[in-house]
């Protein structure tokens, strides 16, 4: 925001110098536009923020070392456009305490909903809480920011890398029913028979 104010003051100073040198009606019009557009757009952003809100959509689970795709949805319910919405996103791993921060810049036309995707990557397992710590709407020129609703925090569960299970069954010895090794009271290699079944 400070850089925007400095840029605006520099642009206004250049327009004043231009009007002094040119002394024409068009130079005066340019000066008026440069001076008035930023505060007017900030007033419009202040009026539009009452009908604006940002919602997080985070997948319920993911794997470590793999990027998980999440979404930030900006809903503009007003008849005014949202030129610039800056959202600061914080992802905190409850198990390790690792914190990641990300800044998104969104915009939406009147009566529209816009969704923006972003990715998160974790090197450790655990439950990651993703929340918007600071969401502000700006006018066409980033001078003043006004807070808007950032929605509820979401949780991403990062699981360890898994592997496919394999079941190795022993080969059947092929005992005959009439041989000395066959017994109905002992489990054998015939998987069609069951032994030691309990009612519970």
């Amino acid at each position: 925001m400070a850089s925007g104010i400095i840029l605006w003051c520099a642009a206004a100073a250049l327009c004043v110098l231009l009007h002094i040198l040119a002394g024409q009606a068009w130079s005066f019009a340019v000066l008026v536009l440069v001076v008035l557009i930023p505060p007017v757009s900030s007033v419009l952003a202040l009026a539009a923020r009452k009908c604006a809100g940002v919602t997080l959509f985070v997948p319920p689970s993911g794997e470590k070392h793999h990027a998980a795709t999440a979404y930030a949805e900006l809903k503009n319910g007003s008849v005014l456009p949202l030129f610039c919405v800056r959202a600061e996103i914080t992802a905190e791993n409850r198990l390790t305490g690792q914190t990641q921060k990300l800044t998104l810049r969104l915009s939406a036309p009147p009566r529209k909903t816009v969704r923006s995707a972003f990715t998160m990557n974790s090197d450790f397992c655990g439950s990651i809480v993703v929340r918007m710590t600071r969401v502000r709407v700006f006018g066409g020129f980033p001078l003043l920011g006004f807070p808007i609703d950032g929605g509820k925090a979401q949780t991403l569960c990062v699981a360890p890398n898994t592997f496919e299970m394999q079941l190795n069954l022993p080969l059947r010895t092929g005992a005959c029913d009439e041989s000395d090794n066959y017994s109905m009271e002992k489990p054998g290699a015939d998987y069609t028979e069951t032994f030691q079944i309990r009612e519970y």
Side-chain angles (χ1 to χ4, degrees):
M1 186 174 64
S3 60
I5 295 176
I6 295 174
L7 183 61
W8 177 46
C9 293
L14 288 177
C15 290
V16 169
L17 180 61
L18 177 63
H19 179 62
I20 293 174
L21 295 177
Q24 301 293 326
W26 63 266
S27 61
F28 180 74
V30 171
L31 175 61
V32 171
L33 288 177
V34 171
V35 172
L36 292 183
I37 285 180
V40 170
S41 63
S42 298
V43 172
L44 295 178
L46 178 61
R49 77 180 184 93
K50 298 179 181 180
C51 301
V54 182
T55 306
L56 277 175
F57 294 93
V58 178
S61 61
E63 294 185 2
K64 64 178 182 178
H65 305 301
H66 289 77
T69 303
Y71 299 93
E73 185 178 87
L74 172 61
K75 182 178 181 181
N76 184 11
S78 68
V79 295
L80 300 173
L82 294 175
F83 294 103
C84 179
V85 175
R86 186 179 301 170
E88 296 180 3
I89 301 175
T90 302
E92 180 183 0
N93 192 325
R94 289 184 175 179
L95 181 63
T96 62
Q98 183 184 15
T99 302
Q100 298 179 6
K101 293 185 178 181
L102 175 69
T103 301
L104 290 180
R105 289 174 174 83
L106 309 169
S107 61
R111 305 288 187 182
K112 295 292 183 180
T113 300
V114 178
R115 176 177 288 190
S116 178
F118 62 95
T119 58
M120 297 180 300
N121 193 357
S122 178
D123 297 333
F124 305 98
C125 301
S127 178
I128 299 178
V129 179
V130 185
R131 61 171 55 91
M132 289 191 176
T133 55
R134 192 177 185 184
V135 184
R136 290 181 171 269
V137 56
F138 295 85
F141 208 85
L143 291 179
L144 297 176
F146 308 99
I148 62 174
D149 184 23
K152 297 181 179 180
Q154 303 290 324
T155 302
L156 170 66
C157 182
V158 177
N161 298 332
T162 58
F163 55 89
E164 296 183 358
M165 296 182 62
Q166 296 181 355
L167 180 63
N168 297 323
L169 300 176
L171 297 177
R172 183 180 178 183
T173 57
C176 180
D177 295 348
E178 298 179 356
S179 66
D180 297 337
N181 296 330
Y182 181 78
S183 174
M184 287 293 296
E185 298 178 355
K186 297 180 180 180
D190 188 357
Y191 299 106
T192 62
E193 299 181 4
T194 55
F195 297 89
Q196 298 180 355
I197 300 300
R198 303 291 188 270
E199 294 181 357
Y200 55 85

